[in-house]
Amino acid sequence: MGRTLQIYIFKYMLRMTAYFAIGLGSLIFLADFSEMNNRLSAISTYQITTGLALSAARLPFILQIALPLIILASTMAALMQLNKKNELVVARSAGVSAWQFLTPTWLAAGIIGILAVLVINPLATTGFSFANEWENQLRGKAPSVGVLSDSKPWLRQQSEDGGLYLIGAERVSSNGVILLDASFLHIDATGEIIERFDSPRAQLAGGNWILKDALASRAGQPTREIGERTISTGLDSSVITEALIPPEMIPFFELGKQIDTARAFGVSSNPFRMQYHSLISTPALFIAMALIAATVSLRFARLGHSAEMILGGIVAAFMLYVITEVTKSFGAAGIISPILAAWLPVMAAGMFGIAYLLHREDG
């Protein structure tokens, strides 16, 4: 009977998680499509089907951020429903302990966490990058030519005349070889800006930046079209990725290579190591969320106070999320070890949940 009950709860947990994911995903999709439609509707080549496809490509990236809360909500809902139908009461009276019927919920949370890392994360990063590039192509507008007026990240490289180039981009391809809405500021050895080049697309190939449909501007002179422009560079794609691409936009399977390459070029690998260990700890984070849900869901049928307990679970999960984000920032900055930053909040939450359940169930 114990095995049958565990399989039943495991399937129930998966089904409840699917319901929450579909419901929240639908809301996210509609909200993102509405916002996308408002942004792009003025473009002549824009169609409703294009907006739907763009929102669908962006959906996995947004949904993966909400997955911990989905696990929390689905676990709470599953245990509440089982309690409401007195199934857990019957299980307890038959001698099944709380640890036995809670184990399937934790197993389901862990499996979903593994799928989130191995399947959803690569799909999310690829889809989001694709959506960004597609949106940029749809816009097809000339970039702003105000010197340093853009809110874009910048990196620098040395130029052949002893000066340097400041390079910025609105969007970057996931491998760091394509810059979209790129700007190149040519600065001489005295610090004076010689010229600025703006291009909707700049590609790194053969030790050169190849700027397509570029615009050139100098102080006191009108902007002119120069077509294709080639600028030599010694930058590697890993350096560009480090400077211009958030670690969250790199697929899980490419993070290890990115860490090794960054180290080889003397670039700080802490942001990538932090993201890597955050993803590795995702299954444990989901299990911790399920533990938190269990601590506030097992007393409903007997003692009531459901609203207070639900609020307590939400507050506990929010605190875990805030602490996780803070330690993640510390780990990315190198203040603390990325391994410690990724695992400490998760392990602390897990041990708290286990200790609470031990106290409540075993005295």
Side-chain angles (χ1 to χ4, degrees):
M1 183 184 66
R3 176 82 48 113
T4 302
L5 178 64
Q6 288 181 332
I7 294 174
Y8 170 74
I9 295 176
F10 177 79
K11 293 181 179 179
Y12 198 90
M13 173 67 179
L14 291 180
R15 186 164 62 249
M16 193 65 68
T17 303
Y19 291 157
F20 273 88
I22 292 173
L24 184 59
S26 299
L27 291 176
I28 292 173
F29 178 81
L30 291 174
D32 188 70
F33 170 71
S34 177
E35 193 270 339
M36 184 77 66
N37 195 52
N38 291 334
R39 289 207 320 260
L40 303 180
S41 59
I43 300 176
S44 59
T45 57
Y46 173 77
Q47 298 178 351
I48 295 297
T49 53
T50 302
L52 292 173
L54 285 171
S55 294
R58 288 160 53 93
L59 179 61
F61 186 84
I62 303 173
L63 191 60
Q64 73 170 348
I65 300 174
L67 270 177
L69 296 181
I70 291 175
I71 294 297
L72 175 78
S74 60
T75 305
M76 292 176 64
L79 294 176
M80 286 173 61
Q81 288 297 316
L82 292 172
N83 248 331
K84 185 178 180 180
K85 294 186 291 185
N86 292 324
E87 291 177 280
L88 296 186
V89 176
V90 174
R92 287 176 182 274
S93 64
V96 179
S97 71
W99 301 102
Q100 289 176 291
F101 61 71
L102 286 177
T103 298
T105 65
W106 304 333
L107 179 62
I111 292 175
I112 295 171
I114 294 173
L115 291 176
V117 175
L118 300 182
V119 179
I120 297 178
N121 175 261
L123 181 65
T125 53
T126 302
F128 201 85
S129 297
F130 171 76
N132 281 343
E133 293 185 26
W134 192 359
E135 181 181 349
N136 186 79
Q137 292 175 6
L138 280 175
R139 291 179 181 276
K141 62 182 182 180
S144 169
V145 295
V147 175
L148 291 178
S149 64
D150 307 279
S151 58
K152 60 181 68 172
W154 296 82
L155 60 86
R156 65 171 59 196
Q157 72 166 52
Q158 296 299 316
S159 61
E160 296 176 343
D161 59 3
L164 57 88
Y165 281 96
L166 289 181
I167 304 172
E170 289 289 347
R171 301 179 182 89
V172 187
S173 65
S174 59
N175 56 8
V177 299
I178 298 176
L179 308 181
L180 302 175
D181 277 349
S183 300
F184 289 73
L185 292 179
H186 189 192
I187 302 175
D188 63 20
T190 64
E192 297 293 329
I193 297 178
I194 301 175
E195 196 168 16
R196 171 168 174 157
F197 304 99
D198 291 277
S199 171
R201 180 184 177 94
Q203 183 169 358
L204 180 65
N208 294 295
W209 286 111
I210 302 175
L211 283 63
K212 303 289 187 180
D213 301 323
L215 301 176
S217 57
R218 292 175 178 266
Q221 298 182 12
T223 301
R224 63 189 189 280
E225 297 182 4
I226 59 174
E228 184 173 295
R229 172 81 179 194
T230 301
I231 299 175
S232 62
T233 181
L235 294 177
D236 182 83
S237 60
S238 64
V239 179
I240 300 164
T241 301
E242 161 71 20
L244 300 180
I245 300 181
E248 293 79 9
M249 293 299 298
I250 301 177
F252 171 73
F253 295 107
E254 297 180 12
L255 278 171
K257 178 182 177 182
Q258 183 62 42
I259 292 171
D260 294 337
T261 307
R263 287 172 173 171
F265 281 87
V267 179
S268 173
S269 62
N270 285 327
F272 303 108
R273 291 178 60 210
M274 186 66 246
Q275 177 65 9
Y276 180 78
H277 288 291
S278 293
L279 291 174
I280 289 292
S281 65
T282 295
L285 174 63
F286 287 9
I287 293 174
M289 285 293 183
L291 273 167
I292 292 174
T295 61
V296 300
S297 303
L298 294 182
R299 301 171 59 198
F300 291 159
R302 294 175 292 173
L303 301 178
H305 306 292
S306 59
E308 293 84 349
M309 297 301 291
I310 291 175
L311 180 59
I314 294 174
V315 171
F318 178 76
M319 290 178 61
L320 174 59
Y321 174 79
V322 170
I323 294 173
T324 301
E325 289 300 310
V326 170
T327 56
K328 187 175 180 179
S329 299
F330 287 161
I335 298 175
I336 59 178
S337 168
I339 298 177
L340 184 63
W343 286 96
L344 183 60
V346 175
M347 298 304 295
M351 287 188 290
F352 168 79
I354 292 174
Y356 183 86
L357 289 175
L358 282 172
H359 172 71
R360 297 299 309 175
E361 299 299 325
D362 299 329

